[in-house]
Amino acid sequence: MAYGDGTGRAAREGRCGGVPRLGQTLKALTVKARTSSSNNLKEGSHVMEYGDKTFKDEKLFLYQGFDPANTIIANTLLRIGPNDAVNQRDADLLFMWNRYEQLNGGSEEKMRVLREIKVPVAHRKHLYSSIDFIGKLVFGFENGPSMLEAVRTSGQPLVDDWDCLKRVVRISESECGSLTQYGMKDMGAFANICNSGIPEVKMMEASMSACSSYKFTTRRGGAQ
């Protein structure tokens, strides 16, 4: 069962300290109250409950990875104003960072959470730099950034050839690793590569050049 509001606030509120100890039904009401200021829709956002409701009486921590009752952590992990929206793809990272800040300094648990944070952050940096470099290789170093960020006029589809977009994404992932939810924000950049008629061979060559060190590091790590 899930809760959505379109801003990511519901997702991050659903990970607040204390909430995982609640049952599914009570959690829905708790998240709704925290997401929409004063239970009205003038500020904040609405929350909808959807999905399988057959396990509504079960405790949420069974599905969210840790039981707050067994963790020394404050019950105020996230208390951001109702008008602050967080992108859905950043909700998990924001939760982990706030949890890290609340844990006792120098504890093994805090170091473990920090290591967990570093992995997605490093991959995000890699995705950003690799897609930027691919753009410079296929469009030229001067035009690359602007071509990747170009937005089509209203009424036009994101891409003319959806099969091309799928192939370009697969090429990128084969050389540079999974886009993850975070990397999906760059789908427009891949669409612009297709819309510009860049040959797939050139896209493959650019991806291999941009991510050669990444593949070497991944293979070396897997061999250890």
Side-chain angles (χ1 to χ4, degrees), residues 26-220:
L26 184 54
K27 181 221 174 181
L29 299 176
T30 302
V31 172
K32 182 176 181 179
R34 290 178 177 175
T35 305
S36 179
S37 178
S38 303
N39 202 30
N40 64 62
L41 300 182
K42 295 180 180 179
E43 295 182 354
S45 172
H46 71 285
V47 172
M48 295 181 66
E49 178 183 10
Y50 57 95
D52 189 349
K53 299 182 180 181
T54 60
F55 47 87
K56 290 183 67 172
D57 293 332
E58 295 184 8
K59 300 300 183 184
L60 197 61
F61 74 82
L62 295 174
Y63 302 91
Q64 288 201 181
F66 77 101
D67 182 354
N70 299 326
T71 305
I72 302 175
I73 190 168
N75 191 32
T76 55
L77 275 180
L78 296 175
R79 288 295 183 270
I80 302 176
N83 294 323
D84 295 327
V86 172
N87 195 294
Q88 187 72 40
R89 59 179 166 262
D90 296 326
D92 285 342
L93 197 58
L94 177 63
F95 166 73
M96 286 194 295
W97 179 252
N98 280 274
R99 186 181 174 199
Y100 167 80
E101 290 187 323
Q102 291 289 329
L103 289 167
N104 293 331
S107 67
E108 178 59 31
E109 177 72 3
K110 187 163 189 171
M111 294 300 100
R112 184 184 65 79
V113 172
L114 181 59
R115 289 194 295 270
E116 292 179 359
I117 292 173
K118 287 182 176 180
V119 172
V121 169
H123 191 63
R124 288 185 177 199
K125 291 180 178 179
H126 159 70
L127 288 175
Y128 175 81
S129 60
S130 62
I131 293 173
D132 178 67
F133 193 33
I134 288 172
K136 291 177 179 177
L137 291 175
V138 299
F139 293 118
F141 275 69
E142 183 176 345
N143 297 325
S146 61
M147 291 296 292
L148 290 182
E149 296 172 3
V151 178
R152 308 189 92 182
T153 59
S154 178
Q156 285 189 298
L158 174 69
V159 65
D160 296 322
D161 185 345
W162 289 96
D163 288 333
C164 172
L165 179 60
K166 293 176 184 178
R167 291 192 297 270
V168 166
V169 170
R170 281 198 294 266
I171 290 172
S172 174
E173 290 193 317
S174 69
E175 300 299 321
C176 304
S178 173
L179 285 179
T180 70
Q181 186 181 35
Y182 174 79
M184 296 300 286
K185 71 181 181 62
D186 293 310
M187 198 58 64
F190 294 116
N192 289 340
I193 291 175
C194 286
N195 295 334
S196 299
I198 300 298
E200 291 180 27
V201 173
K202 190 171 184 179
M203 175 64 187
M204 174 63 79
E205 293 174 348
S207 297
M208 292 175 65
S209 297
C211 300
S212 58
S213 61
Y214 170 79
K215 292 197 73 174
F216 173 76
T217 301
T218 302
R219 288 169 180 166
R220 185 178 61 180

